[in-house]
Amino acid sequence: MPFPPFAPSVYFDEADLAALVAEFSERVRRNPDLRPAMDRLVGNRWEEAEEAAASFLQATLFLEKRPDVDGDWLARSIRMLDGATIDQLTDILLDCALVVLPLHSAAVVAEVSDALARLLKDVVIHDGVMRQRLLLKVQSRLAAGALMSGI
C-alpha cells in the first residue's frame, strides 16, 4: 500500500485500517448512548458498514480512487445524528486510532475524522431546503475525494 501523499512519513497498510475499523465498530456497538441510533442506521449490516468505512478511509487517505459515497445512507445519517452524537463518534474514532496506530498515523486519521465531523455538523444544524443543499454539497465533496483538500 502506498504512502499518504499529504504525509509521506506516515504509513498505513490495509491490516492497520481493518484493525482501526474493527475496533471502532466494536466500541460503537458497545456504547449504550450510540447503539439505538446505530441500530436504526446500520441495522444488522455491520459487516457492510465496516467494509464501506474501510474503503472510504483508504480512498481518502491514499487518494488512489474516489470514495464511494452512498447518498441515501448519508441522508439517513444526517436525519438520525445530531452534533453531539457526531462528536462522540469522532472521539471514539480518535481513541481507536490511538490504540491501533502509531501516533503520527493516528493524528492523520484524527484530521480526517475532524474534517468529516465539521462537514456533517454543518449540515445537521440546518433543516429544510438549506439542509438538502448542504447535504448535496457534502456528498459531492466526499465523492470527489476532496475531504482532505482543506487539510
Side-chain angles (χ1 to χ4, degrees):
M1 184 172 287
F3 295 104
F6 49 86
S9 64
V10 178
Y11 181 78
F12 302 96
D13 63 23
E14 289 181 29
D16 292 332
L17 291 179
L20 172 64
V21 170
E23 182 71 19
F24 177 73
S25 178
E26 181 63 31
R27 288 188 189 198
V28 168
R29 285 190 258 183
R30 286 188 316 213
N31 187 306
D33 297 330
L34 294 174
R35 187 61 195 241
M38 293 296 107
D39 281 345
R40 288 189 310 272
L41 185 60
V42 177
N44 63 355
R45 298 180 176 181
W46 282 95
E47 187 174 330
E48 289 175 31
E50 290 169 4
E51 288 172 7
S55 176
F56 177 81
L57 280 174
Q58 185 172 350
T60 300
L61 291 169
F62 300 112
L63 306 174
E64 290 183 330
K65 63 179 182 172
R66 290 186 176 180
D68 183 25
V69 179
D70 181 341
D72 291 335
W73 191 88
L74 186 60
R76 278 195 328 269
S77 299
I78 294 300
R79 284 192 308 270
M80 292 182 192
L81 304 177
D82 59 16
T85 304
I86 292 168
D87 286 339
Q88 195 172 8
L89 290 166
T90 302
D91 290 345
I92 291 171
L93 184 58
L94 173 59
D95 287 345
C96 293
L98 290 169
V99 167
V100 173
L101 302 171
L103 185 59
H104 286 36
S105 299
V108 173
V109 170
E111 288 183 49
V112 169
S113 177
D114 287 343
L116 182 58
R118 280 191 305 276
L119 285 176
L120 296 177
K121 286 170 43 177
D122 285 346
V123 176
V124 167
I125 61 172
H126 293 90
D127 57 4
V129 174
M130 184 60 150
R131 178 181 273 192
Q132 187 63 28
R133 285 183 187 157
L134 291 171
L135 179 61
L136 291 172
K137 185 177 178 181
V138 166
Q139 181 182 352
S140 294
R141 184 170 180 190
L142 294 175
L147 179 64
M148 299 301 289
S149 65
I151 296 177

